[in-house]
Amino acid sequence: MNAGRTSRSVQRPADEQFRSWGVDPAWSRIVSVAGSDGETHSWHVLDRRPESGRQVGTIVCVHGNPTWSLLWRSMHHRLGDRYRVIAVDQLGMGFSDRTGPRCFARRVDDLGDVVAALDLDEPVVVAAHDWGGPISLGWAVAHRDQVAGIVLCNTGVAVPAGRRAPGIIRLAASGPITDLVGHRTRAFVDGTLALSHGRVGAAARDGYRAPYRRAADRHAIAEFVGDIPLRDTDPPHPSAAPIAEVAEAIRSLTVPVLLAWGARDPVFNDDFAFDLAERMPHADRHRFRHAGHLVVEEADVAGLVDGWLANGRLAERAPATSGRPSTRTSIGDAPPVWSALAARAADPSTAMGTAFVDGSTGEAVTFAELHRRVNGIAAGMTATGVQPGQRIAVLIPPSVDLVAAVYGCWRAGAVTVIADRGLGLRGLGGAVRAAHVDWVVGPPSALAAARTLRWAPHARSIAVHYRRVLGAVATLDQLAASTAPVPPEPSPSDVAAVLYTSGATGPAKGVRYLHGQMAAQRDALAGLYGITADDRLVAAFAPFAMYGPALGITSMIPDVDVTKPGMLTAEALAVACAAVDATIVFASPAALANVVRTSAAPDPRLARIRLALSAGAPVPIATLRAVARLMPSAELHTPYGMTECLPVADHDLVAIEAAGGGRGVCVGRPVDGVSVRIAPLGFDPTLPVDALASPSTGEVLVQAPWCSDGYDQLWRTEHDARPSDVDGQVWHRSGDVGHVDSDGRLWIEGRSVHVIYAVEGPVTPVPVEVAVECLDGVDSAAAVGIGPVGCQQLVVVVQDPRGADGLADDVLTGRVRAVVAHVVAHQVAAVMTLRQLPVDIRHNTKIDRTAVAEWAGAVLAGDRARAPR
């Protein structure tokens, strides 16, 4: 590399080339910039201005290495009709002048020079990627009055604490390899394109290579790599101190910040996103789970930025220490979730246990023992180094240890990340990886998976029992025996948990809960069902067992695989009930169905049950009637809710019978404290809820003090799911479609993503499915739409374990079409059968209608499609 190279210009591509790359040639121009280094350079920029009078702001986009302004063309297309969007080619890159080597501080000054030359008369939003990030942040801290907001995409301003620089970068920066891969060959360019996992099209790949076809045009690529201070040296790397100064200075930035991150980036991975979020805690974050390093190419970053800016972010300035802008409802001052356990601190009766059949003995712990264990774990965690707000992945199977660990984490002020095995191995790993945990607690197999499968390769670990084997810092038993002081209690507004949804209708999402919201939820359940200290709970759905200590009641987990709740037997349930003389049972619909199937006669061990609860999916009335015969003293309730808000509505078997048939599944009246509103399908979430029409059928919005705080690292998802009214009160979009009848009862007709949009109008799937499932011999069915939205065809797929996968016979087709004709004014285009409809792992009940639709569409098109499972 020749430090004495003279500046030279690069030929601008022909208009036709720009068009082939998806760029309007009119955006391309050369700007002559008198630099603060005393030289004048020609900068190439892509500059789109909106029509006169329509400009609402300016966005300046800065690429990294080895891309150029082409990276930001989606921003020009999406936002250029309202914002002036300018993407610059850094000197030595793209089609700007080739110059001699430029260090970090020089490039920060260069950016200031070109922004000044563009004569922008208003604060700008700066968007940056890769090494454009620290350069843009360096400019931002030096020109605070010119900055309205910052968007950062897969970048970093420092190597996160406890980490080394990414291996790919260390390799590229190692001596002669830097010149080889960056300058003498095109390896660095092609390698960067390969990081997109094939999501960059051929035309765009040609566009990225175009400025760097000759070695003479690639000097800056190698020099960029060489300017990265990867390690301490003597003398220090010349860019180390300037970059470190910027890394600290951004802590005082008060402008809105958005972190848009590709999760599959081996260079600037999630660690860098969390490092930036720690430095700028008010930043909004959205994680694209399938995107990689070139996230602007691979995901709809432009759409995300559009929504973020439209949400009023340009007008906001918040103290950097204030945390993320809140979308939460008011937090009450109810006692924390461990208060009922503390009230029974001297009680020798059983608090928690697990029951096993076939003569084996389960485990049990008293209230006094559990209280001591929880406080000990909290104190031991604090003494071991767990800090308030740190995230702990709890990977312990359903057990006393699980309950003690979770409550110990909460009492210590840590945030539990709870993704049960019902998500499957891949889903569980993805959830832990996305949450970016600081600690992992679990048995040997879980800790090994977290490290070797890279769910949390840098997290510290706490073993359930085997410290020496795994090198964990401690075991739960050692923490529980701690004599250190119990730490101060977290506040109601502190985050307590990230709970993952089932992923039945899309990727599993992390849902944040605050301590105050969890306490409000506990009180709502206690009040709704009259739960007192005299009650005893058997929870066949393991996560529900976590409510036992919060409610101050004995709880028991029966013998059932959490990944197969539909395998719960009547004997296993009876054994668990007898072990604690249970008064309350909670089980999923699939679990109750198998209990009914495996029961021979009413069992006296179930005679004391006063309350049976089932949720997670609709419960067939035939199942409820059969359970009523097994538990003659029990009220059978089917609370309606979701991971984000539970309970929402409730009713019992008597009320279900009284409601009779209707359009969909009746889930009862909203419980005290809950507001429900029906919004139009596909409504604009940026509009005030008060301004929305109230259709007879539409999307269900809910509001409650125990509604969760939002989605973890999913700003767009949270923004779309949390509309507000004119008073600023936040609602939650349930994603369910339904209606409220004249008696105030809520009926659910399906998920909004499964609505069938036919020429005649929308069709909700559940009314169709309920009608078909009333036919003799039909236990389960799925109604799906095939074809383009707006002209989809209604197809009904019936589960037939003894049949074949494919088109149904003429007799079944005729019966289905006849019964559906009484429900909807849409003709059934085809009736098909599957030996097994695919259902979610967690509940074994929710049908994956998307997978069914893909299969049915392929078969009807004449393809040989594998049946979904």
Side-chain angles (χ1 to χ4, degrees), residues 135-153:
I135 292 167
S136 298
L137 290 170
W139 174 81
V141 297
H143 300 81
R144 296 170 187 263
D145 291 342
Q146 290 183 256
V147 185
I150 300 171
V151 177
L152 299 174
C153 307

Side-chain angles (χ1 to χ4, degrees), residues 261-263 268-275 287 433-434 436 713:
W261 226 259
F268 291 105
N269 59 19
D270 286 336
D271 291 343
F272 287 87
F274 274 81
D275 178 75
R287 184 178 187 267
R433 192 179 296 114
H436 199 270
Q713 302 181 79

Side-chain angles (χ1 to χ4, degrees), residues 377-402:
I377 290 172
M381 283 184 168
T382 301
T384 303
V386 174
Q387 301 294 315
Q390 285 190 326
R391 295 181 168 205
I392 302 181
V394 183
L395 304 180
I396 305 173
S399 60
V400 171
D401 281 333
L402 170 64

Side-chain angles (χ1 to χ4, degrees), residues 803-818:
D805 296 334
L807 289 171
D809 60 42
D810 292 343
V811 173
L812 178 59
T813 297
R815 294 171 65 209
V816 169
R817 282 178 169 159

Side-chain angles (χ1 to χ4, degrees), residues 215-298:
D217 289 325
R218 294 195 293 264
H219 282 289
I221 294 175
E223 291 161 359
F224 247 120
V225 176
D227 195 42
I228 303 172
L230 296 177
R231 61 187 67 86
D232 293 334
T233 59
D234 187 16
H237 190 290
S239 291
I243 293 176
E245 290 174 6
V246 172
E248 288 305 306
I250 64 174
R251 297 182 185 277
S252 62
L253 286 176
T254 60
V255 295
V257 178
L258 172 65
L259 305 179
W261 226 259
R264 298 179 64 188
D265 184 358
V267 183
F268 291 105
N269 59 19
D270 286 336
D271 291 343
F272 287 87
F274 274 81
D275 178 75
L276 287 167
E278 186 275 328
R279 297 172 189 275
M280 298 178 287
H282 63 290
D284 294 308
R285 286 177 279 172
H286 189 92
R287 184 178 187 267
F288 295 95
R289 64 194 297 261
H290 293 302
H293 180 64
L294 293 177
V295 62
V296 184
E297 281 280 358
E298 302 173 54

Side-chain angles (χ1 to χ4, degrees), residues 786-787 795 807 830 832 853-865:
I786 305 299
V795 173
L807 289 171
M832 308 178 74
E854 290 175 355
W855 168 80
V859 171
L860 293 174
D863 298 334
R864 296 186 63 182

Side-chain angles (χ1 to χ4, degrees), residues 402-419:
L402 170 64
V403 175
V406 168
Y407 276 80
C409 290
W410 289 341
R411 183 62 185 81
V415 179
T416 55
V417 175
I418 300 177

